[in-house]
Amino acid sequence: MTEPGAAETQDLPAIAERGAAAAPAASRRTSLLVTLVLGGLTAVPPLSMDMYLPALPQVTAALHSPAATVQLTLTTCLAGMALGQMIVGPMSDKWGRRRPLLAGMVVYILATALCAIATNAELLIAFRLLQGLAGAAGIVIARAVVRDLYDGVAMARFFSTLMLISGVAPVVAPLIGGQILRLTDWRGVFVVLTAVGVALTLLVWRKLDETLPPARRHSGGLGQTLRTMRDLLADRVFSGYVLVGAFAFAALFAYISASPFVVQEIYGASPQIFSLLFGINSVGLVAVGQINGKLLVGRVGLDKVLGTGLALTAVAATALLLMSAGVFGPVGLVPMAAGLFVLMASMGLVMPSTNTLALLRTPHAAGSASALLGTSTFLLGSVASPLVGIAGERTAVPMALVQLSCAVLALVSFLGMCRPWQRRKESNGSTAGERTRL
């Protein structure tokens, strides 16, 4: 009997043709404006995180709180985005994409405005949690919409296109954050985020049509949702890709969470220099993502691309750990920045490939599958955040150690659960003479 995801081991153009025939929505194509809207929705998490990063030391001083407490404003926002996806994803499978998305964006606007007027760290943590819960609607439904509209090669390429659009957010966000701090204080960051939320909500309301027709919606309640989740997790290969994506993102978030203190406190860089370095690293992620989408997809197997990205992540994390531990003697900011650049750029191979390979297996429950992908990613990211601060603010060893551990676990999940070579062998046995793409 063929595995649920056996189709992914076959020629990707053939998958796309069959997907278009099987799912009426798969033949649709998006306008440039809708593509930009979807990219903006996937940019909600990096906007919410990265624009705020240069302000972390200032928030620590302004609210008279230790760095570990202020880092919880990142952790709770990330945890909220994880839990919110588990709620909104299944809702979108039942009620369609538009209504849950609009409701989530309205709450995101309100929560972000409340962050701007928080008077102490505890209130800011609570409002950031609400902001994350609501902001989850954008990213989980954007992925589900892509699965509604595309399949196979087209889906892989569209995810790379979204990375180009959403990748502008981590490039621009810390730069904007740094400039906002020159004009006002950290509260101004949340005022700008509120305005961004309003603009996105208006665009969704006016320009994003419903992509899940009533005939393809689930009518069940909580029991049906739980059964769907159980069935998805019972698929070993799908679960493997979920873990790969989650551990890879945890390595990335260890950098996101720790880098403001590593770059500014340990290496003495200004908020503007930190923002510039963060932007350069984000450009690397976007550039590699575009190389993946334009040159590799359809020519090189997605599993090969994913394996290469994971290997690069592990190599970069190893180099960062050796440098931060003093194995090469004292090192300056430039070598550490180079290691962080490679680690972040490798995500341009890992993220689109992981999303595509996982969602190829789940056309019947794209919202729930997207929720599982996003929730696991953000949950492990929220765990990585406090771990990097365990040894204080004077060493980069915890950051590098967490990154390396996560990279190794991602590789183990890929090799132990996804087993791409095994699926290629099974496909060759059942479809002799067909060229394997994945």
Side-chain angles (χ1 to χ4, degrees), residues 53 249-263 274 277-282 320 336-337 340-341 343-344 384 388 399 402-403:
L53 289 179
F249 183 80
L252 178 61
F253 196 74
Y255 157 69
I256 292 173
S257 179
S259 60
F261 298 99
V262 170
V263 174
F274 163 73
L277 290 176
F278 196 93
I280 290 172
N281 291 344
S282 299
L320 287 167
M336 289 293 293
L340 292 170
F341 176 85
L343 185 140
M344 195 163 181
V388 299
M399 177 190 73
V402 170
Q403 288 170 334

Side-chain angles (χ1 to χ4, degrees), residues 71 139 154 181 191 199 233 245-246 268 291 308 311 317 333 347 361 425:
Q71 281 181 322
I139 188 169
L181 295 180
V191 173
L233 291 174
I291 291 171
T308 301
L333 178 58
M347 297 298 159
R361 304 180 71 86
K425 183 177 179 181

Side-chain angles (χ1 to χ4, degrees), residues 29 49 57 76 92 101 115 143 153 204 210 227 266 282 287 304 323 328 344 351 359 365 376 388 410 422:
R29 290 299 178 261
M49 298 290 177
T76 52
S92 74
L101 177 56
C115 288
R143 270 198 307 262
V153 164
V204 169
E210 181 59 63
R227 284 191 293 273
I266 297 176
S282 299
K304 291 180 181 178
M323 286 188 290
F328 304 122
M344 195 163 181
M351 291 178 179
L359 291 175
S376 59
V388 299
Q422 185 181 75

